[in-house]
């Protein structure tokens, strides 16, 4: 095996449980399906994601959880939970086309409270601790200013602009791509 490719194939290791000041980020459970369906069934959440169809229901969530559990691909898919283990969103790092990608979403009820900044920062910090020489890619639809602000605060730099198909919108939408290396990473402290 090529020594250059082996870290990519190995990945950052098993999906961790990460504790922050207000959150617990943990591997998903089948019992998360109802909360996932509620969140992704909301057009205001789904429209910011490229791969989520609408309508989105409990069976879609169960299928997604089963697929994630059965894959041997490296990466993390973490449930964002509050102290009482209420599932409020997701932060994921996955290998796509040979590049590590950060993705995330949050139930609309929890927007504007700094939860996503706290969760994304903690997961990115853990990723770079395990994979310090890798680049992390992300992006957001151009009308998702909150997500782009989080990426900017973390140190992501814009690498491109184009259009990306959104399943929930049923149309192409302007999209901005970003990239972050460990030296540029700026942790966001919890509120």
């Amino acid at each position: 095996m090529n020594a250059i490719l082996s870290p990519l194939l190995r990945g950052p290791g098993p999906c961790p449980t990460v504790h922050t000041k207000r959150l617990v980020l943990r591997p998903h459970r089948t019992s998360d399906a109802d909360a996932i369906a509620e969140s992704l069934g909301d057009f205001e959440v789904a429209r910011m994601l490229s791969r989520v169809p609408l309508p989105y229901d409990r069976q879609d969530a169960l299928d997604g959880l089963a697929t994630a559990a059965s894959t041997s691909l490296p990466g993390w898919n973490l449930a964002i939970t509050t102290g009482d283990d209420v599932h409020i969103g997701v932060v994921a790092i996955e290998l796509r086309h040979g590049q590590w990608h950060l993705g995330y979403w949050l139930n609309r009820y929890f927007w504007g409270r700094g939860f996503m900044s706290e969760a994304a920062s903690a997961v990115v910090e853990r990723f770079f601790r395990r994979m310090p020489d890798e680049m992390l890619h992300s992006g957001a639809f151009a009308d998702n200013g909150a997500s782009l602000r989080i990426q900017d605060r973390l140190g992501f730099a814009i690498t491109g602009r184009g259009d990306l198909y959104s399943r929930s919108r049923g149309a192409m939408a302007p999209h901005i791509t970003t990239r972050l290396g460990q030296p540029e990473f700026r942790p966001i402290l919890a509120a």
Side-chain angles (χ1 to χ4, degrees):
M1 176 179 291
N2 185 330
I4 294 174
L5 293 179
S6 62
L8 287 177
L9 296 176
R10 230 185 9 218
C15 193
T17 297
V18 179
H19 295 266
T20 70
K21 183 176 179 181
R22 301 179 294 169
L23 305 170
V24 176
L25 313 170
R26 59 160 172 80
H28 279 91
R29 303 176 187 139
T30 304
S31 59
D32 295 326
D34 288 332
I36 293 169
E38 178 185 334
S39 296
L40 294 182
D42 179 347
F43 179 71
E44 293 304 311
V45 175
R47 69 186 284 278
M48 298 303 180
L49 305 169
S50 63
R51 299 183 284 178
V52 175
L54 275 182
Y56 190 96
D57 60 26
R58 185 174 194 278
Q59 189 59 52
D60 292 315
L62 287 169
D63 292 346
L65 290 168
T67 299
S70 68
T71 184
S72 61
L73 294 175
W76 298 335
N77 190 341
L78 296 161
I80 302 169
T81 66
T82 56
D84 52 1
D85 202 38
V86 172
H87 185 290
I88 65 170
V90 169
V91 177
I93 295 181
E94 62 184 11
L95 187 61
R96 283 190 273 155
H97 310 291
Q99 297 178 331
W100 291 104
H101 287 261
L102 170 71
Y104 47 84
W105 58 263
L106 194 64
N107 179 296
R108 183 168 33 144
Y109 176 77
F110 296 92
W111 289 0
R113 300 183 197 185
F115 288 127
M116 187 51 72
S117 295
E118 184 175 335
S121 181
V123 171
V124 169
E125 187 276 330
R126 179 70 61 95
F127 174 80
F128 280 136
R129 232 189 303 153
R130 294 192 181 175
M131 309 277 291
D133 298 326
E134 295 297 329
M135 294 298 289
L136 194 54
H137 299 263
S138 195
F141 285 112
D143 61 349
N144 190 348
S147 185
L148 291 167
R149 280 189 297 280
I150 290 169
Q151 291 173 38
D152 180 61
R153 289 179 61 207
L154 290 169
F156 279 84
I158 293 174
T159 58
R161 298 171 191 271
D163 289 329
L164 183 65
Y165 186 75
S166 167
R167 288 183 68 190
S168 63
R169 298 177 197 210
M172 299 295 283
H175 187 265
I176 297 169
T177 57
T178 62
R179 182 176 63 204
L180 176 67
Q182 192 275 335
E184 293 78 35
F185 172 55
R186 296 186 305 258
I188 299 172
L189 300 176

